[in-house]
Amino acid sequence: MLITASQVLRGPRGEHISDGAVLVEAGIIVAVGTRRAVEQQAQPTAVHFDYPGCTVLPGLINCHVHLAFDGGPDLVSTVRETPDAALLDGMAKRVRQLLYSGVTTVRDLGDRDGLAIHLRDRVNRGEEIGPRIVAAGPPITPPRGHCWFLGGEAEGEQQLRQRVQHNADMGADVIKVMASGGQITPNSPPMWQTQFTKKDLQIVVDQASRLGLPVAAHAHGTHAIQTAVNAGVATIEHCTWLQDGGGGYDTQDAVARTMAERGIYACVAWPPDWQGFMARLGAERADMVVNRFQWMARVGIPLIPGTDAGLPRSGFTDFAEALKLYTHVGYTADQVIEMATTTSAQALGLHRVGQLVAGHSADILVVEGDPTTNLDNLSQRQEILIRGVPTMK
């Protein structure tokens, strides 16, 4: 398959090819370059798709979703009471919505009973159409802690190690741990409150490391962030920097610098309707949020985008809109595209996605115009390929 367009973005910022082309064979990229150079490498029988006025770029990566959640007003009861088969059907529908929004890789950070792992395997076998899935299984939480209803409760060293081992045995790609409380679980600790000690989190990280798995820590409170960073997690989810007791932020330069130095990524996981979210916060609080983003950027914390899709007011269909949050806080459009492709692939430890280079999987997005000057163009999708298979034709 030969794909030509007015512009090809390799993935890393600044690597633009005018009048470019991508050659795909058996789902793998075999050549990327100028139209003239790549056409010379294509076999006469290659199927040629030409997109004048369009840009070819790597498929987008959404680093934080919950496929088991339907976004409804009582999602806790729904996910607890829905039979496996019906829940899987809903998850398959939602993963297709992600794909058709331009997302070719998604990280699911908490399901019930490993159903996202099961769905991942069905997609990999070709039984379902969808993006590649990086799955955590049930998140580890204390008894009756945040998201306990997903089945990942554990306390004490033996149980924590057993829970990590159990998720690994199910086939988890990453271990999710709830370092702080949250909002959706009735009667669980509040968002700012730390749920595990540093020793507990070190046990989780140690056991996961023995099994070759990274750890993603849900952490809203500053103390929980510090505890997770000191324990050596790979990513901080939400990374809200809430002060003890809530009601404001407590940004700690020393903790942030440690994150930057160790390459610990922050996935703030804001929804596509981030503007509505800011409006509900109010102007003063919204300004504080923008300042917090800008502070993290200045310190050098690497950011990766996610949406927490599945929660109320966060759907699966408009990832491009969610990415505009980052231009709002000061990133350029080409920085955001790099963040949502190359940087996210690096953060998730994926070595064959996130860039258009020979040897990588042909996970490709084609959009009208130039998204490096206007992210709105990411919504003008002309084609989406997953593993070299067109999904829109």
Side-chain angles (χ1 to χ4, degrees):
M1 181 187 305
L2 176 65
I3 302 168
T4 54
S6 299
Q7 178 179 227
V8 171
L9 307 181
R10 288 183 180 270
R13 187 161 53 103
E15 295 193 13
H16 302 194
I17 304 171
S18 297
D19 196 24
V22 180
L23 185 61
V24 175
E25 183 175 348
I28 302 298
I29 297 170
V30 296
V32 181
T34 64
R35 180 191 301 256
R36 182 176 181 181
V38 175
E39 282 180 340
Q40 292 175 351
Q41 300 180 58
Q43 297 292 329
T45 56
V47 179
H48 184 188
F49 297 105
D50 185 39
Y51 296 96
C54 294
T55 297
V56 178
L57 68 153
L60 304 175
I61 301 175
N62 187 331
C63 294
H64 190 133
V65 307
H66 296 279
L67 294 169
F69 296 167
D70 67 356
D74 191 12
L75 62 86
V76 174
S77 295
T78 299
V79 78
R80 291 186 68 193
E81 298 169 5
T82 303
D84 283 0
L87 192 55
L88 267 172
D89 285 344
M91 293 168 69
K93 176 183 177 181
R94 292 187 277 275
V95 88
R96 287 193 296 271
Q97 291 176 329
L98 285 164
L99 178 62
Y100 296 136
S101 73
V103 173
T104 55
T105 298
V106 61
R107 184 173 61 155
D108 184 288
L109 285 179
D111 67 24
R112 191 194 75 196
D113 301 327
L115 290 177
I117 297 170
H118 184 63
L119 180 60
R120 175 202 66 194
D121 293 344
R122 285 170 56 169
V123 170
N124 290 345
R125 291 192 298 264
E127 298 168 9
E128 298 279 357
I129 186 169
R132 64 186 67 248
I133 300 171
V134 176
I140 300 174
T141 195
R144 293 291 160 167
H146 181 43
C147 286
W148 65 268
F149 56 88
L150 294 175
E153 293 172 289
E155 67 176 339
E157 179 169 0
Q158 183 178 3
Q159 288 186 14
L160 289 169
R161 291 191 184 277
Q162 288 175 343
R163 172 50 59 183
V164 174
Q165 185 68 58
H166 177 74
N167 283 13
D169 290 343
M170 284 194 296
D173 303 296
V174 57
I175 299 299
K176 172 75 174 297
V177 62
M178 296 302 200
S180 79
Q183 287 184 302
I184 66 170
T185 308
N187 303 315
S188 75
M191 292 171 63
W192 56 267
Q193 187 170 316
T194 302
Q195 292 200 136
F196 285 113
T197 66
K198 178 184 175 182
K199 181 180 178 181
D200 290 333
L201 294 183
Q202 285 176 329
I203 290 167
V204 171
V205 171
D206 176 70
Q207 186 65 22
S209 297
R210 295 183 186 193
L211 299 167
L213 298 175
V215 175
H218 164 108
H220 285 288
T222 296
H223 182 259
I225 294 169
Q226 182 177 21
T227 303
V229 168
N230 290 339
V233 303
T235 65
I236 302 289
E237 307 303 312
H238 307 293
C239 203
T240 313
W241 303 94
L242 286 177
Q243 66 186 10
D244 285 352
Y249 302 113
D250 179 20
T251 52
Q252 295 285 334
D253 286 348
V255 179
R257 284 195 296 269
T258 300
M259 286 183 66
E261 291 164 2
R262 296 182 181 176
I264 298 174
Y265 295 83
C267 181
V268 295
W270 271 44
D273 183 27
W274 57 270
Q275 294 185 75
F277 189 38
M278 284 196 170
R280 290 188 292 275
L281 288 176
E284 182 178 355
R285 190 76 178 269
D287 286 343
M288 293 170 65
V289 169
V290 171
N291 292 337
R292 178 165 50 87
F293 273 99
Q294 294 172 343
W295 165 74
M296 287 194 287
R298 286 195 305 272
V299 176
I301 295 174
L303 295 186
I304 52 176
T307 58
D308 225 357
L311 270 65
R313 295 195 175 100
S314 187
F316 295 85
T317 60
D318 202 359
F319 189 49
E321 188 65 31
L323 293 177
K324 294 180 187 177
L325 165 68
Y326 301 94
T327 56
H328 175 75
V329 301
Y331 289 86
T332 63
D334 59 342
Q335 285 177 315
V336 176
I337 291 171
E338 181 182 51
M339 184 191 302
T341 56
T342 305
T343 304
S344 290
Q346 293 168 347
L348 273 53
L350 303 174
H351 305 295
R352 296 186 65 194
V353 301
Q355 300 185 54
L356 301 184
V357 297
H360 276 45
S361 178
D363 296 355
I364 297 172
L365 176 61
V366 183
V367 300
E368 289 184 7
D370 182 1
T372 66
T373 60
N374 187 348
L375 287 181
D376 284 332
N377 292 108
L378 292 177
S379 298
Q380 305 302 314
R381 293 172 289 275
Q382 300 301 299
E383 185 55 274
I384 304 161
L385 284 78
I386 181 70
R387 299 178 179 87
V389 177
T391 63
M392 295 181 65
K393 292 191 178 295

